[in-house]
Amino acid sequence: MSEIKPKEAPAADKKEATTEEKDWAAAKAHFENLKSTKPRPPKPKYAVTIAVSSRSLFDMVAERKIFEEEALEKYVQHQQEHENEPLKPGPAFPFVKALITVNERLRNLYPDSEELFDIVLMTNNHAQVGVRLMNSINHYDLTIERFCMTGGQSPIEYLKAYMTNLYLSKDSKKVQEAIEEGIAAAIMFKPDVETQLSDTQLRVAFDGDAVLFSDESEIIVKQHGLDTFFEHEKQYENKPLAQGPLKCFLEALGKLQKKFYAKNERLNCPIRTFLVTARSAASSGARVLKTLRSWGLEIDEALFLAGAPKGPLLLKIRPHIFFDDQMFHIEGAKEMGTIAAHVPYGIGQKYNKGKLTEPEKQQK
């Protein structure tokens, strides 16, 4: 049977297509060469993209109450009537400001580089609310040029399109959905008291198990106790842990840190990372450090607390954001003034302060 060959386009069509491609290439080149005193956002394929929801970036508690009690139309009307009044800063605001500070340093060292933080406002607000959000961003002089206002729809596909490295939201369902799709994400919590944070250095603190690493070791603790856990970690000390939901974000931070190191700025690097784990150093710490080494990742400071509360240590660190998978650590952190982000991942979601809150499914 003879092979059916596709029909060739007429010469006139080919010429038209070629002309269109040239016109498009010329238009694209013209746009990219436009000069502006305002920094342009980097292309997503080069950037470390941080997507923040409007309720994470700004304090919208009063507005949220109107939405819940009086429905959407009243909420939109309220936002339009107050669109010239800047919203107050929310829990992710200091973190975003610190990202912008790092970008300024990077642009000074690498004027033509696009390896920068790119902040995207990812909100399920309707477009009519956008003016107040834009006015608030301009009021605080935040470098946020990309907006996604999804009108109540899920942001997941947009997060993928932007190649998002981290998504911060107040909506637990959207965060859970993002994590299930392999996107680093966390639920933001505002601290109970305000703390003075560094305005020259981005400080990010991570829990270990079920945050940077998988929950494989935490499962053993919960199901078999500490002694079995210590034996297990000693036996598998040289076997790297599987990655957790925020490993890739630490990796992205490390990539930007190395740009400063390459300019002999290690001691003056505006990014500093911390591991704050409930693990004991002597009994179970080596596997964690060896795992990071096997990944080719560095952590600036590692704190092994052996079960002690994290709040007091975090108060000394003063991070712009602290990630943990267990709510009692989140509560303890925010009570002492730390901006905390809950990572709803792993077996810890079934427990509260070590006690099982969700019945285990029986294996058949």
Side-chain angles (χ1 to χ4, degrees):
M1 193 172 182
S2 61
E3 187 178 334
I4 300 173
K5 295 182 180 179
K7 293 180 181 178
E8 284 196 19
D13 289 350
K14 279 186 178 179
K15 187 176 180 181
E16 188 178 329
T18 305
T19 303
E20 284 181 1
E21 286 171 6
K22 285 180 179 178
D23 288 345
W24 168 245
K28 184 180 177 187
H30 174 72
F31 176 77
E32 290 182 348
N33 289 324
L34 288 173
K35 302 296 180 184
S36 172
T37 55
K38 201 162 189 177
R40 289 175 61 179
K43 294 182 180 69
K45 65 180 178 180
Y46 302 118
V48 175
T49 301
I50 312 297
V52 293
S53 73
S54 54
R55 288 199 294 140
S56 292
L57 184 59
F58 297 116
D59 184 344
M60 298 178 70
V61 172
E63 288 77 9
R64 182 69 179 178
K65 189 176 181 184
I66 292 170
F67 174 76
E68 291 174 346
E69 294 180 359
E70 301 182 46
L72 177 62
E73 298 307 318
K74 288 286 187 183
Y75 167 79
V76 172
Q77 180 185 338
H78 171 85
Q79 294 285 36
Q80 289 177 329
E81 289 172 353
H82 294 80
E83 64 186 23
N84 292 319
E85 297 174 20
L87 293 157
K88 293 179 181 178
F93 189 92
F95 176 64
V96 167
K97 288 280 284 184
L99 298 177
I100 293 168
T101 297
V102 174
N103 275 357
E104 289 169 358
R105 288 279 306 276
L106 282 167
R107 284 191 169 104
N108 286 335
L109 292 174
Y110 302 91
D112 299 321
S113 176
E114 292 198 78
E115 289 184 314
L116 302 161
F117 289 113
D118 186 18
I119 305 151
V120 179
L121 188 71
M122 187 69 62
T123 173
N124 65 348
N125 268 296
H126 286 254
Q128 297 94 320
V129 180
V131 174
R132 191 178 190 193
L133 295 173
M134 291 173 188
N135 286 344
S136 298
I137 282 169
N138 289 331
H139 173 79
Y140 294 110
D141 196 25
L142 301 177
T143 312
I144 303 176
E145 300 294 344
R146 302 194 204 275
F147 277 45
C148 273
M149 290 175 277
T150 68
Q153 299 302 305
S154 170
I156 295 302
E157 295 306 316
Y158 297 104
L159 292 171
K160 290 178 180 177
Y162 275 109
M163 303 167 70
T164 302
N165 296 90
L166 177 68
Y167 171 50
L168 300 175
S169 175
K170 297 274 287 181
D171 190 318
S172 59
K173 288 182 180 177
K174 288 186 176 66
V175 167
Q176 188 71 60
E177 189 181 356
I179 288 175
E180 287 170 1
E181 291 292 328
I183 299 166
I187 307 159
M188 293 299 301
F189 287 88
K190 195 169 185 177
D192 297 346
V193 292
E194 284 194 23
T195 305
Q196 187 67 38
L197 303 175
S198 172
D199 56 6
T200 58
Q201 185 179 63
L202 168 66
R203 295 180 151 231
V204 183
F206 300 89
D207 178 32
D209 296 292
V211 175
L212 290 179
F213 316 113
S214 74
D215 66 340
E216 59 193 85
S217 294
E218 200 161 305
I219 289 171
I220 294 170
V221 175
K222 296 289 193 284
Q223 295 183 344
H224 304 289
L226 277 174
D227 288 339
T228 302
F229 164 71
F230 291 146
E231 290 172 11
H232 178 271
E233 293 304 284
K234 191 67 180 174
Q235 182 180 350
Y236 294 99
E237 181 179 310
N238 295 311
K239 180 184 178 183
L241 289 152
Q243 72 176 51
L246 264 73
K247 180 255 188 179
C248 290
F249 178 54
L250 176 62
E251 194 169 31
L253 290 176
K255 181 180 75 172
L256 295 184
Q257 281 181 308
K258 286 175 182 175
K259 292 179 74 69
F260 290 99
Y261 301 165
K263 295 286 187 178
N264 200 27
E265 291 278 331
R266 180 181 282 269
L267 297 179
N268 194 30
C269 181
I271 303 172
R272 194 161 185 83
T273 56
F274 302 80
L275 173 67
V276 183
T277 174
R279 283 178 176 245
S280 303
S283 306
S284 56
R287 190 181 185 193
V288 162
L289 297 180
K290 288 182 178 182
T291 296
L292 290 171
R293 187 192 301 165
S294 74
W295 291 345
L297 298 182
E298 293 183 27
I299 202 95
D300 293 305
E301 297 187 33
L303 305 173
F304 294 90
L305 304 187
K310 296 182 179 182
L313 269 294
L314 290 165
L315 187 58
K316 300 298 180 186
I317 294 170
R318 298 185 181 228
H320 292 89
I321 193 165
F322 162 60
F323 297 98
D324 203 291
D325 67 302
Q326 301 197 53
M327 274 307 300
F328 73 92
H329 286 312
I330 297 292
E331 295 287 348
K334 72 187 194 72
E335 281 173 11
M336 300 193 73
T338 295
I339 299 167
H342 179 227
V343 181
Y345 172 83
I347 194 172
Q349 307 319 300
K350 297 179 180 180
Y351 289 79
N352 181 33
K353 298 182 181 179
K355 295 181 180 177
L356 186 65
T357 56
E358 184 180 312
E360 298 269 15
K361 291 181 180 178
Q362 290 187 352
Q363 293 186 357
K364 293 181 179 178

